[in-house]
Amino acid sequence: MSRTRLARCVLVFGAIVAVTGCFTSTAEFREEAETFIFDEVTIPGEPDVSFQSATCEEPARQEPGTVFGCTAIDDEGATWTFDVTIEEDNRILVSVSDRP
């Protein structure tokens, strides 16, 4: 899939999604997580859920194991919370940590 300047592969397992790309700063990890949640996250068992907005914290660092949080507002105005884990230099894992 190619959507912005970053090419990526998407793997879906339950409510966990892995994203790969070319991230060179903490801001790019944050931006990519926001864009991915807004544009591409689908919730297994809830195919009609889509998001109006997504906002993420900027991770403190880029090292594997770093976790940062995101929130997203769905089309009905409910807030979802996501944990994003940097798995390696160019890969993040997005998982639902709290759902309405």
Side-chain angles (χ1 to χ4, degrees), residues 22-80:
C22 300
F23 310 119
T24 60
S25 70
T26 56
E28 285 183 350
F29 279 100
R30 178 188 51 79
E31 291 166 4
E32 188 60 21
E34 290 172 345
T35 301
F36 183 76
I37 292 167
F38 179 75
D39 287 344
E40 298 188 41
V41 164
T42 56
I43 308 298
E46 300 200 39
D48 296 332
V49 172
S50 59
F51 297 101
Q52 296 178 10
S53 65
T55 304
C56 297
E57 303 168 343
E58 187 162 330
R61 53 189 206 283
Q62 300 180 109
E63 287 77 28
T66 301
V67 178
F68 59 101
C70 299
T71 57
I73 307 299
D74 68 21
D75 288 337
E76 295 184 14
T79 301
W80 294 70

Side-chain angles (χ1 to χ4, degrees), residues 8-19:
R8 68 177 129 222
C9 299
V10 178
L11 306 170
V12 177
F13 177 74
I16 299 172
V17 180
V19 181

